[in-house]
Amino acid sequence: MAHSAIVGINWGDEGKGRMVDLLTEEYDVVVRYQGGGNAGHTVVNERGTFALHLLPSGIFRPEVINILGNGVAVDCENLWKEMQEVEKKGVALHPSHFFISERASLVLPWHRDLDALEEARLADQKFGSTKQGIAPFYADKAAKKTILAGELLHPSHLRAHVEQLVEWKNLTLTKVYGAKPTSTEEVLAWLDQYGSPLKPYIGNTAKVLREADRCGKRILFEAQLGALRDLDLGIHPYTTSSNALAAYAPVGSGYPAVKLDNVIGVVKAYSSCVGEGPFTCEWFGEQAETLRKAGGEYGAKTGRPRRVGPIDLVATRYGVQAQGATALALTKLDVLSYLSEIPVVVRYDVDGEETDAFPFPACLDEAKPVEITLPGWKQDISSCRTWASLPQEAKDYVLYLEKTLDCPIRYVSVGPERDAIILR
Ligand code: GDP
């Protein structure tokens, strides 16, 4: 059976949540395999508008099995609150259909504290962290200093492990940052309040995935953020702390032997970026404000205005290659309808030389965008549902991107609603 990953090609916020929500119809299992609650997917469907941070986007279809894999940063407090939020809006989460990997590590309150303390220490050099504790969390995971979700099911072991970690973490909190120490009782009380309600959902999700595969079920792997934020291949050091690439899906989901048949890369018809770091195609002033408003580019988690610009084909082609995308979904094409001419970044000028290769991260500050313009269509396309019904200029825009990116654009999204999609 065909398994697929849905991944971001750029800096994140490409509209992956919307694509997963649409495609879950064709899949039986949806797995989140990396990242934590530091980004958000916005899903609009008949039940309302949902900003999902940790829950897989398959939760809206009751027959779909949803999994948080071992690669995910599980913050019990945020997850439990998010579960209660969606349940309030009528989305049931039953332990037979929602699983948390026993091997997923837990984000603890000190990770959030350390994130904030470090950003404060960096002052104007800060990375623009969402302060969800993600970087300190993944650092601790690599140092083997995290609690696994499965440990919640073994209380005496949990107490001893928390005690050990508290002693170690207090050294950093007090001696490095001069902050208040924490205590075993404080951490255990937090885990009891927010971790205990999650216990029925925790289990061996690798087994669930293997069995689903053996029974011919189709699995969809859902990524957070985009290729340019990938820990290994992104715009270091302005990346996230996990691997946002499709290639990590088998490991982060706990099923390393799984074969991905399709990698669907989600690309926005223009660019947006949250936080600090080089963003070569960035627009400023009124030009940026108009696009930001047209696209509603304000963070799903923080509400802060996103940086915006035209589509950057240099960065996007790099993202397509890094993801190994086999098909693309182009989202938010409708947002560009206000422009009579659409600027597109086709090359970078680095030290007076034009290139279409994405530079080494340290050289990105030197890169200047080289733009061309394509004709706009200047009409509302949000009710188009077929390729034929799109204005010729919109088709030409899509075809130009497809040719330059060397990857078929199979989906064109013209609105946030589930059915506002054109299949090619
Ligand atoms: P994700 O993290 O990649 O899922 O992206 P976000 O959820 O942060 O951003 C996507 C936003 O764009 C959400 O508010 C979606 O509802 C919205 N959206 C997705 N596709 C389209 C589209 O084709 N047109 C418009 N106008 N909005 C869209």
Side-chain angles (χ1 to χ4, degrees):
M1 264 296 167
H3 304 311
S4 305
I6 295 202
V7 294
I9 295 294
N10 300 116
W11 298 265
D13 307 314
E14 297 93 347
K16 294 177 295 298
R18 173 251 189 292
M19 288 308 300
V20 183
D21 180 58
L22 175 83
L23 293 174
T24 45
E25 206 166 87
E26 299 165 25
Y27 294 84
D28 307 292
V29 184
V30 178
V31 196
R32 277 274 317 260
Y33 61 88
Q34 48 80 226
N38 51 327
H41 291 313
T42 311
V43 176
V44 182
N45 58 31
E46 66 283 355
R47 295 210 175 103
T49 299
F50 295 83
L52 301 181
H53 300 293
L54 269 165
L55 288 170
S57 308
I59 55 159
F60 302 106
R61 301 194 193 258
E63 64 286 1
V64 170
I65 289 181
N66 288 277
I67 293 178
L68 292 181
N70 49 278
V72 174
V74 175
D75 181 322
C76 301
E77 181 176 352
N78 287 346
L79 177 58
W80 179 233
K81 286 182 178 164
E82 195 172 314
M83 287 167 71
Q84 288 176 308
E85 286 280 302
V86 300
E87 289 197 320
K88 246 190 270 160
K89 291 191 187 172
V91 179
L93 289 165
H94 195 267
S96 63
H97 275 74
F98 174 52
F99 300 92
I100 303 164
S101 168
E102 62 193 3
R103 285 180 170 272
S105 285
L106 301 181
V107 177
L108 295 173
W110 62 56
H111 292 124
R112 286 191 234 151
D113 295 345
L114 285 168
D115 210 344
L117 287 165
E118 179 60 9
E119 285 283 278
R121 188 191 70 81
L122 286 166
D124 57 355
Q125 306 270 312
K126 69 182 183 335
F127 287 95
S129 162
T130 54
K131 304 201 182 81
Q132 294 295 305
I134 299 302
F137 162 84
Y138 276 109
D140 282 1
K141 185 178 172 182
K144 301 156 290 174
K145 303 268 196 199
T146 48
I147 304 280
L148 301 185
E151 291 181 64
L152 293 173
L153 308 177
H154 303 278
S156 60
H157 168 93
L158 178 69
R159 168 172 278 277
H161 196 183
V162 168
E163 235 163 46
Q164 226 181 50
L165 292 185
V166 163
E167 190 189 331
W168 166 76
K169 191 52 85 180
N170 275 341
L171 294 174
T172 314
L173 283 169
T174 59
K175 296 207 190 306
V176 178
Y177 292 102
K180 203 164 76 54
T182 186
S183 71
T184 302
E185 296 315 318
E186 212 177 331
V187 177
L188 285 175
W190 185 86
L191 286 171
D192 188 45
Q193 185 175 359
Y194 300 110
S196 294
L198 303 180
K199 284 184 192 172
Y201 303 92
I202 297 171
N204 183 344
T205 52
K207 195 163 152 230
V208 177
L209 283 172
R210 273 198 308 274
E211 274 176 20
D213 193 15
R214 199 174 45 82
C215 298
K217 301 216 185 290
R218 301 186 59 175
I219 307 170
L220 187 61
F221 298 89
E222 179 182 14
Q224 179 218 37
L225 291 166
L228 300 170
R229 298 291 189 196
D230 178 74
L231 176 61
D232 284 73
L233 298 188
I235 50 171
H236 178 84
Y238 299 97
T239 65
T240 193
S241 302
S242 63
N243 289 102
L245 299 182
Y248 183 70
V251 175
S253 65
Y255 188 15
V258 75
K259 179 174 166 291
L260 292 179
D261 304 281
N262 311 297
V263 175
I264 303 160
V266 186
V267 178
K268 199 145 62 178
Y270 55 92
S271 301
S272 75
C273 162
V274 173
E276 311 295 320
F279 185 44
T280 309
C281 62
E282 184 163 15
W283 279 353
F284 299 93
E286 208 183 307
Q287 195 182 25
E289 198 46 38
T290 313
L291 177 55
R292 186 176 299 119
K293 278 209 184 107
E297 294 298 339
Y298 303 89
K301 181 88 204 173
T302 57
R304 62 184 164 171
R306 293 174 181 156
R307 300 158 75 190
V308 294
I311 192 160
D312 178 338
L313 293 176
V314 179
T316 304
R317 194 170 38 239
Y318 176 78
V320 169
Q321 287 164 358
Q323 292 290 15
T326 58
L328 296 177
L330 184 71
T331 61
K332 296 192 137 179
L333 189 64
D334 55 304
V335 171
L336 298 180
S337 300
Y338 75 94
L339 287 162
S340 41
E341 287 201 308
I342 306 178
V344 173
V345 174
V346 285
R347 285 182 298 282
Y348 288 172
D349 178 324
V350 185
D351 290 334
E353 287 213 8
E354 287 197 11
T355 175
D356 58 8
F358 191 66
F360 179 71
C363 305
L364 274 169
D365 284 339
E366 264 55 75
K368 291 180 195 66
V370 179
E371 282 182 4
I372 61 161
T373 52
L374 298 175
W377 44 92
K378 283 292 256 176
Q379 57 183 285
D380 184 8
I381 57 167
S382 59
S383 54
C384 293
R385 295 292 178 266
T386 61
W387 178 247
S389 64
L390 277 178
Q392 191 56 45
E393 293 83 355
K395 285 193 228 171
D396 289 344
Y397 184 76
V398 176
L399 292 173
Y400 181 80
L401 302 190
E402 182 171 77
K403 184 161 162 273
T404 315
L405 298 173
D406 195 21
C407 190
I409 297 178
R410 292 265 180 257
Y411 308 88
V412 178
S413 171
V414 292
E417 307 81 16
R418 203 177 256 178
D419 71 333
I421 194 93
I422 293 168
L423 304 182
R424 290 180 67 221

